Amino acid sequence: MTQRIVSLGFLAAAVVVLAQALAIPQGSGYQAVGPRAFPLLVGAGLAVVSVFGVVQAFKAGAAAPEETHWPSVLLLVGALAAYALILVPVGYWQATTVFFVAVARVLGSRRLVRDVVAGLVLALATYFLFDRLLGITLPPGLIRLAI
């Protein structure tokens, strides 16, 4: 029953996100991507994933979900709260790397070097995509990138 409620809740959230995104003014005709493009993309992605969740939850003979491991959930929430607190003073790519490693550890990874490298590569890639290519300023933090 919980899986059905959660999946329907996510579907409702997708509808709200899409409705709010469609309410954003389109902007001038000179922009290649308007201000509502990314909210529409997020809403559409949430809707697609939610539909799969609803179908799975209501499918006859669906397996009962496993018991929630609450210590892991609490550690993940704590990691997310710490990430939100250190993001601006420490910097986007540094805080994101640390967050990635922390989440990987909570989820069972014991390969520290691989996690640090993967987190650093993903953080730097998103930093350059948003900060340099799209012009969306992200917090540079303690170590500013010269590139």
Side-chain angles (χ1 to χ4, degrees):
M1 188 61 165
T2 303
Q3 187 178 2
R4 290 178 178 178
I5 293 170
V6 169
S7 61
L8 288 171
F10 275 109
L11 186 58
V15 169
V16 169
V17 168
L18 286 170
Q20 292 296 313
L22 290 172
I24 297 172
Q26 184 60 13
S28 66
Y30 297 109
Q31 297 173 336
V33 177
R36 66 179 176 181
F38 285 110
L40 281 173
L41 182 66
V42 169
L46 182 59
V48 168
V49 171
S50 299
V51 166
F52 282 115
V54 168
V55 169
Q56 186 69 26
F58 284 91
K59 189 166 66 171
E66 295 180 19
E67 186 65 31
T68 302
H69 187 251
W70 288 108
S72 295
V73 172
L74 294 175
L75 285 170
L76 290 171
V77 169
L80 185 60
Y83 178 66
L85 289 173
I86 69 169
L87 180 62
V88 173
V90 174
Y92 174 80
W93 66 271
Q94 300 97 320
T96 301
T97 302
V98 171
F99 178 68
F100 183 91
V101 172
V103 169
R105 297 293 279 188
V106 169
L107 296 178
S109 175
R110 297 295 172 246
R111 298 180 65 186
L112 183 62
V113 173
R114 180 195 64 185
D115 297 339
V116 170
V117 170
L120 185 61
V121 167
L122 290 171
L124 287 173
T126 55
Y127 179 81
F128 283 116
L129 173 70
F130 282 91
D131 196 73
R132 307 296 184 184
L133 296 177
L134 296 175
I136 299 171
T137 305
L138 296 173
L142 302 172
I143 303 171
R144 297 185 192 284
L145 297 174
I147 300 173

